[in-house]
Amino acid sequence: MSVALDPVKAILFCAAALLAFIYINVRPDQRIAELATACAQLIAFTAVGAVLSYLTVTSNFPLADRQFAAVDAALHLNWLAYFDWVETHPAVKRVLALAYNSCMAQIAVLLILLSATGRFERMQEFVWLFVMSLVVIIPIAWIVPAANAWVHFDVVARVDANDASILADFNALRAGEMRQIALADVKGLISFPSFHTALAVILTYASRGVKPLFPVFLVLNLLMIAATPNMGGHYFIDVVAGAAVVLGLVVLRRSSWRALFARWTVAPSYEIG
């Protein structure tokens, strides 16, 4: 398989990397340097993550849609009833769609505000959680692939054509018919765990303590999570798993590695005498 680079993203990456270099080495300005560095890292890794996510779909592992639907049923969560309810309430659907598609705008606002207020460690934490959540989610999606709930419940004809276009890439990759990954037109093919849910949790967590931002992000991302079954074709268990990945990573990051592995890393002390 080959990869077709996206010239726009390549230019943006080069511009961000150049700004980072200038404001670190030539004209030091930590706010601009940290912002540019974070942008360069996110642009680079989203490209890598997109390629990896597409490659995982080519696996021959059996689809797990039936099992995921069964887990939802065991949790007494009726996916089809929820889908029908949203579809019959156009105003609700519009609000959910706006929230679901707000990821990029939220990331831009978050990074700018964190940089402007000097919360550099928080910015680095956001980038780390973004990257690591994909590092965890992509292998899981490779081993336990799924088409999505739209296909399982046979409602593809009722889904917006632009949203349903992800299925064309998914089916082509599974059939071995796609030979080129175009970075300018990559789509979110991962069903389980839901990265949209993971990102909603990350954005909310990263905005904590930022008073003008946190209440807005909290509401917006709760709506984004509520939108994932309809707008992304995710099972409810996808949503739970996506949130669990981020919560696990937060606990891991906040844990002190020295304390966690003290018994192996701290040399025993002896009395001298």
Side-chain angles (χ1 to χ4, degrees):
M1 294 184 71
S2 62
V3 177
L5 297 179
D6 179 3
V8 174
K9 290 178 182 175
I11 291 170
L12 289 174
F13 169 77
C14 291
L18 179 61
L19 283 173
F21 177 82
I22 291 172
Y23 286 99
I24 290 173
N25 300 289
V26 180
R27 188 180 178 182
D29 186 317
Q30 190 174 8
R31 284 184 169 81
I32 299 177
E34 293 283 353
L35 178 60
T37 300
C39 290
Q41 291 171 334
L42 290 173
I43 293 168
F45 192 77
T46 50
V48 174
V51 173
L52 289 175
S53 68
Y54 266 59
L55 292 177
T56 61
V57 177
T58 64
S59 74
N60 291 321
F61 292 114
L63 297 178
D65 291 85
R66 183 172 56 83
Q67 289 83 351
F68 292 149
V71 172
D72 281 1
L75 295 173
H76 303 288
L77 298 170
N78 191 325
W79 187 93
L80 190 56
Y82 182 72
F83 179 86
D84 289 336
W85 183 84
V86 173
E87 291 297 307
T88 55
H89 292 79
V92 173
K93 185 178 179 180
R94 283 194 294 271
V95 170
L96 293 179
L98 286 172
Y100 190 77
N101 294 315
S102 68
C103 295
M104 294 305 297
Q106 286 194 64
I107 291 173
V109 170
L110 177 69
L111 292 180
I112 291 170
L113 276 182
L114 291 181
S115 173
T117 56
R119 291 178 167 91
F120 306 126
E121 186 176 348
R122 182 72 59 82
M123 189 186 305
Q124 294 163 4
E125 181 182 46
F126 170 78
V127 173
W128 187 88
L129 286 171
F130 183 98
V131 170
M132 290 305 298
S133 62
L134 276 175
V135 167
V136 173
I137 286 172
I138 289 174
I140 295 174
W142 168 53
I143 297 169
V144 193
N148 64 28
W150 297 333
V151 175
H152 181 77
F153 291 102
D154 194 23
V155 298
V156 176
R158 299 169 58 189
V159 176
D160 181 87
N162 187 55
D163 294 335
S165 64
I166 63 173
L167 296 174
D169 284 4
F170 183 87
N171 293 331
L173 286 164
R174 288 282 295 185
E177 297 170 354
M178 181 179 285
R179 295 301 178 187
Q180 185 179 72
I181 302 171
L183 291 181
D185 191 34
V186 291
K187 301 174 177 66
L189 303 184
I190 293 175
S191 180
F192 176 87
S194 165
F195 181 65
H196 243 91
T197 300
L199 186 54
V201 176
I202 293 170
L203 285 164
T204 305
Y205 178 73
S207 68
R208 68 193 186 280
V210 184
K211 291 183 179 180
L213 199 61
F214 178 74
V216 176
F217 269 34
L218 178 61
V219 173
L220 194 56
N221 288 303
L222 286 174
L223 289 172
M224 188 192 299
I225 292 171
T228 54
N230 275 65
M231 306 303 155
H234 286 284
Y235 300 95
F236 288 108
I237 190 60
D238 298 348
V239 175
V240 174
V245 166
V246 178
L247 294 176
L249 289 171
V250 168
V251 171
L252 180 64
R253 184 175 175 85
R254 293 178 70 88
S255 298
S256 169
W257 287 98
R258 180 171 295 180
L260 192 60
F261 298 110
R263 57 188 297 182
W264 293 285
T265 60
V266 178
S269 59
Y270 299 94
E271 289 185 7
I272 300 176

